[in-house]
Amino acid sequence: MSHQSATLAAATRPADPTKLRALEVLPWVAALTFYFVAPGYEPLATQVFVMILFALSLDLLVGFAGIVTLGHAALFGTGAYAAGLLSVNGITDPIVTAVLATLAAAAVGLVTGALMLRTKGLALLMLSLAACFLLYEVANQATPWTGGDDGLQGVTFSPLFGIFPFDFRGQTAFFYSLGVLFLAFLAMRRLVNSPFGWSLRGIRENDGRMRALGCPIYLRRLTAYVLASAIAGLAGALQAQTTQFVALHVLSFQLSGDILIMLILGGAGGLYGAFIGVPVYMLAQDLLAKQDPANWYLWQGAMLLAITFFAPGGLTALAQQALSAIKGKLRR
Amino acid sequence: MPAGGGLRALATAAVLGTAALMTVPAQAETVMVGVILTYSGRDAALGDQIDKAIRLFQKLHGHELPDGVKVELIRRDDTGPNPDVAKRLAQELILREKVDILTGGQWTPNAMAVAALSKEAKIPFVTMTAGGSKVTLQSPYVVRTGWTLWQSSYPLGQWAAKNGFKRAYTAVSDFAPGHDGEEAFTKGFSENGGEVIGSVRIPLKTTDYLPFLQKVKDAKPEVLYHFNPGGPQATAFMKALADIGLTNSDIKIIGPGDITSDDELPNMGKAPLGVITMLQYSPAATRQANKDFVAAWKKEYGADSVPTFFAVAGWDGMRAIYDAVAAQKGKIDADRTMEFFKTWANPGSPRGPVRLDPVHRDIVQHMYLRRVEEVEGKLANVEVETLPQIGDPWKTVVLGKQ
């Protein structure tokens, strides 16, 4: 089948997407600049990087495979608790725990995905929610292991590569999470531009036709789900490592919803939505909560409403429109 | 000044100038205090109580600092019992705003997370209303101006056993203070001949108490020990109690004062009548210091607003911070501040005399046994018995040293 879907993909493929565009360097330059112009903001920036990685994994599902889920935090939380529990039980190397946490989330993704992906649409949405609630409740009830509502206390990680300790200022955490995000992004970029990535787009657009072409839809969707789970788990592990803490919130429905909002805000299905939506959402949140600690949710809601009305395709679409308008003017 | 030779004038000017320079630093000392409380969401009412106390204290006593010394507060919203959020906010307050003192500490999980940071960053942390005993063990830079669950529930267990109750059931919110309350009550009760026949832990974020109360009803204990974090949750519990028919039944309801918190009493109907609680404060108390405090509160926030024990914990927290700032004339040093807190006391607190225990930095205060009664047509927690100067029993009974 790969041959057929590859030809299909080639037919619909725009200009060679594997070629690096100048604009794509921008987020990384911005991240490094941020480090120099905003000292003291490292913890916030680290949080943003972790959430971008998490949003990227959701983009693979929502934007490319067309699998809309409301329980993506289940996998993020699995990764976070896996890393946290390993640390509490004496395995504190950041790289080792990150790898094991990624595998743990992939395993959970395989089990839940194998069940969920037999359904589509609303049923799938409900099942993803249910899986998230189930895991949340398990963590909530298993107080002796997880600390329940008190959170997992005593999470510490040994220095990165044995050299860089996770310092109080958050410098190691900053560069570590930025590095992991960069590597994961390169892998994701490769993935979505591969024949496999294009077959996912095909399934999203018209799964009946893909089936007629001989594409094993269930397997493809499951593979995408497990891969997305692994990346979400990696993001969760990063969260546990950089904050040295795991709270029940990492498994919550609220986080699942928040990350979906951040992705839609940026624009799903282009890999770059996460890089715009997450910083905008989180920096606005930080700013609003500082200005008005009591009513900031209201302002955040107003902001989201405005964006949904005026930029329904997300901020990336808006930026692209603006960009092509400028280009058009220049040509004239 | 007589105008002598040019040289002499110059010398005088130099001396005066040096003297002026030496006094300059004393003029503008601003102490930055980071306040992390719950300002939004379901539990905003509790954070609001503390914040109102903070504002009232600043209004009434803000001018009592030495000349040129100022206290500036920076507020942050932890959105509820979310230790990860509280920890990040504390980190940012330390790194970005360069705060000298941290306070707030509304929730035990949050306070535990912030306490760990206070140790790393060497920033004094005045936790106001977190009730889990272990909070002060997290860091040598933590003091507590509120209460612990052991302070109320251990004596309450003793009281229940000595007053003829033999079979008890416990139902607590499933987080650190709830676990502390359950353990403290059980210990106090069983040491004096009582038997706990069953216990249930209720998820912290629940809104429906009925299934848990059904279990209690079926077990038919003589007394039910209950703890929830107060505020709207306390009302939800009392309403469920009425719905299931346990008010004025053969099962006596007792617990820490959180379950009949004074700001919620007017919303509870008649359900809490006769409920016995143990707490360090009731706004109905007739001490002069309390009468003044309640009068000032009502003048500021309206006749219907009632200060609760959350407010008093915030009030005394501010008192401690201001006293420490005044003692150091605005130049805050973490270790000197902690040294100061060891001997800190406030004999004129609205809740009666309080002081800090120098070893564990926990509050030592009177505990009052109260009964919910109707006073002039309104429900009130009426103090019926006083247990003088109780420290945190957990540190003596369980930790075994003090």
Side-chain angles (χ1 to χ4, degrees):
Chain A
M1 88 94 249
S2 63
H3 172 69
Q4 280 152 331
S5 69
T7 21
L8 169 101
T12 52
R13 199 181 289 186
D16 184 10
T18 46
K19 211 183 107 202
L20 204 71
R21 281 169 295 164
L23 217 56
E24 289 190 84
V25 188
L26 203 64
W28 313 103
V29 175
L32 288 174
T33 321
F34 189 82
Y35 175 78
F36 291 105
V37 297
Y41 282 78
E42 287 93 345
L44 180 66
T46 305
Q47 279 285 302
V48 171
F49 298 153
V50 171
M51 284 299 136
I52 290 178
L53 185 59
F54 185 30
L56 268 179
S57 78
L58 186 61
D59 201 10
L60 183 64
L61 292 183
V62 176
F64 291 92
I67 302 168
V68 180
T69 151
L70 273 177
H72 208 42
L75 305 152
F76 182 82
T78 302
Y81 271 109
L85 287 171
L86 283 171
S87 151
V88 171
N89 290 297
I91 302 173
T92 57
D93 184 79
I95 307 288
V96 173
T97 45
V99 170
L100 290 175
T102 308
L103 291 176
V108 170
L110 182 65
V111 174
T112 54
L115 295 170
M116 278 163 48
L117 293 171
R118 299 193 176 275
T119 63
K120 283 202 301 194
L122 277 180
L124 183 89
L125 210 63
M126 296 306 291
L127 284 177
S128 71
L129 253 180
C132 191
F133 281 133
L134 264 175
L135 276 174
Y136 181 92
E137 221 31 66
V138 167
N140 190 13
Q141 296 292 330
T143 320
W145 292 289
T146 61
D149 269 308
D150 298 319
L152 195 59
Q153 303 284 346
V155 178
T156 48
F157 288 90
S158 48
L160 185 63
F161 308 126
I163 306 170
F164 306 106
F166 285 94
D167 56 322
F168 172 69
R169 296 194 52 83
Q171 313 230 0
T172 307
F174 180 92
F175 287 109
Y176 171 56
S177 53
L178 184 61
V180 173
L181 173 63
F182 184 66
L183 293 178
F185 173 73
L186 287 185
M188 278 280 288
R189 197 173 181 282
R190 183 96 183 74
L191 183 76
V192 298
N193 290 318
S194 69
F196 170 76
W198 284 96
S199 75
L200 288 182
R201 290 182 183 80
I203 294 169
R204 178 192 70 199
E205 291 304 318
N206 191 340
D207 61 342
R209 191 159 166 209
M210 288 301 283
R211 186 174 287 126
L213 285 167
C215 174
I217 294 186
Y218 175 72
L219 261 184
R220 286 290 158 96
R221 277 160 46 103
L222 185 59
T223 312
Y225 193 80
V226 172
L227 285 172
S229 305
I231 300 170
L234 179 61
L238 277 188
Q239 160 98 352
Q241 291 172 341
T242 54
T243 61
Q244 313 252 325
F245 199 85
V246 185
L248 268 185
H249 178 69
V250 294
L251 280 170
S252 65
F253 165 63
Q254 199 199 343
L255 180 62
S256 305
D258 278 350
I259 198 71
L260 193 62
I261 290 172
M262 288 187 232
L263 180 63
I264 293 171
L265 186 67
L271 282 191
Y272 277 97
F275 286 84
I276 296 182
V278 175
V280 166
Y281 184 92
M282 291 189 69
L283 295 180
Q285 196 174 56
D286 186 66
L287 205 73
L288 291 172
K290 243 197 295 192
Q291 296 301 323
D292 188 353
N295 302 312
W296 60 279
Y297 274 117
L298 180 71
W299 305 121
Q300 187 178 329
M303 183 188 90
L304 289 177
L305 270 179
I307 290 174
T308 321
F309 274 125
F310 298 113
L315 292 172
T316 3
L318 197 69
Q320 259 159 9
Q321 278 167 17
L323 215 64
S324 49
I326 294 169
K327 270 186 189 158
K329 274 216 170 123
L330 286 179
R331 268 189 213 123
R332 238 178 275 147
Chain B
M1 188 192 358
L7 201 68
R8 197 163 121 213
L10 201 69
T12 322
V15 169
L16 281 177
T18 319
L21 271 177
M22 281 166 72
T23 52
V24 159
Q27 277 176 356
E29 290 292 346
T30 303
V31 179
M32 307 294 273
V33 179
V35 186
I36 303 175
L37 292 172
T38 301
Y39 290 102
S40 69
R42 184 198 64 181
D43 299 299
L46 298 175
D48 186 52
Q49 274 280 334
I50 306 172
D51 201 63
K52 276 182 173 153
I54 291 175
R55 292 203 305 266
L56 186 63
F57 183 90
Q58 284 203 303
K59 188 171 178 190
L60 298 181
H61 299 288
H63 57 274
E64 289 168 11
L65 290 172
D67 281 346
V69 178
K70 267 194 341 195
V71 168
E72 195 179 315
L73 301 186
I74 306 171
R75 293 177 166 82
R76 292 291 182 267
D77 174 25
D78 63 17
T79 69
N82 296 319
D84 47 337
V85 178
K87 186 172 178 178
R88 200 191 76 229
L89 294 174
Q91 199 175 4
E92 288 172 2
L93 283 171
I94 296 167
L95 287 178
R96 283 194 228 161
E97 314 294 344
K98 311 259 184 289
V99 295
D100 301 294
I101 296 175
L102 279 169
T103 187
Q106 180 172 338
W107 300 92
T108 295
N110 300 11
M112 295 282 267
V114 174
L117 267 185
S118 79
K119 185 179 174 183
E120 218 177 321
K122 285 197 170 192
I123 300 279
F125 174 38
V126 179
T127 177
M128 285 167 166
T129 66
S133 280
K134 293 192 184 99
V135 172
T136 52
L137 296 187
Q138 286 287 305
S139 153
Y141 293 95
V142 176
V143 295
R144 183 194 328 254
T145 62
W147 61 87
T148 71
L149 261 290
W150 272 84
Q151 262 175 341
S152 57
S153 299
Y154 183 65
L156 192 60
Q158 295 172 323
W159 174 87
K162 287 174 186 160
N163 280 269
F165 296 107
K166 292 277 168 266
R167 302 163 70 243
Y169 206 100
T170 67
V172 299
S173 285
D174 192 5
F175 74 136
H179 305 163
D180 275 9
E182 181 190 285
E183 195 191 344
F185 174 81
T186 304
K187 193 149 180 66
F189 191 59
S190 50
E191 275 175 357
N192 291 281
E195 186 200 354
V196 173
I197 57 166
S199 55
V200 59
R201 290 177 174 183
I202 305 164
L204 182 56
K205 287 166 183 152
T206 199
T207 46
D208 183 9
Y209 285 93
L210 279 176
F212 306 101
L213 287 175
Q214 187 62 50
K215 260 178 134 169
V216 176
K217 198 179 179 186
D218 294 344
K220 298 194 176 63
E222 291 167 10
V223 59
L224 168 66
Y225 168 84
H226 172 64
F227 163 74
N228 65 51
Q233 293 228 52
T235 300
F237 174 79
M238 286 299 169
K239 293 232 159 102
L241 212 56
D243 287 346
I244 207 163
L246 281 182
T247 43
N248 288 321
S249 68
D250 294 336
I251 303 177
K252 187 80 180 167
I253 314 292
I254 64 173
D258 308 59
I259 65 171
T260 58
S261 84
D262 300 280
D263 53 336
E264 291 291 329
L265 273 181
N267 309 332
M268 289 178 175
K270 301 271 182 217
L273 271 176
V275 170
I276 298 272
T277 57
M278 183 79 83
L279 202 71
Q280 64 279 2
Y281 177 70
S282 165
T286 49
R287 251 165 271 115
Q288 190 56 43
N290 184 51
K291 281 186 182 166
D292 296 345
F293 173 66
V294 174
W297 182 281
K298 286 188 182 284
K299 188 175 162 225
E300 187 72 18
Y301 301 119
D304 289 335
S305 183
V306 189
T308 68
F309 58 109
F310 272 77
V312 173
W315 177 269
D316 281 331
M318 288 308 281
R319 176 89 267 170
I321 290 172
Y322 269 70
D323 286 351
V325 169
Q328 298 175 74
K329 299 196 171 52
K331 293 188 198 71
I332 298 295
D333 172 88
D335 293 310
R336 276 213 308 268
T337 307
M338 297 316 293
E339 206 52 44
F340 174 82
F341 281 146
K342 279 187 184 173
T343 53
W344 179 82
N346 182 11
S349 169
R351 57 182 139 166
V354 297
R355 65 182 173 87
L356 284 172
D357 140 37
V359 181
H360 298 292
R361 308 171 305 282
D362 253 318
I363 190 116
V364 180
Q365 58 195 341
H366 292 350
M367 296 302 292
Y368 307 94
L369 191 75
R370 307 112 37 97
R371 194 186 308 116
V372 178
E373 289 173 10
E374 213 164 331
V375 181
E376 294 164 9
K378 282 184 185 167
L379 296 192
N381 287 301
V382 177
E383 292 174 0
V384 288
E385 215 176 291
T386 306
L387 284 69
Q389 295 295 293
I390 306 272
D392 178 22
W394 183 76
K395 310 253 157 58
T396 36
V397 176
V398 181
L399 207 59
K401 53 186 174 192
Q402 189 166 352

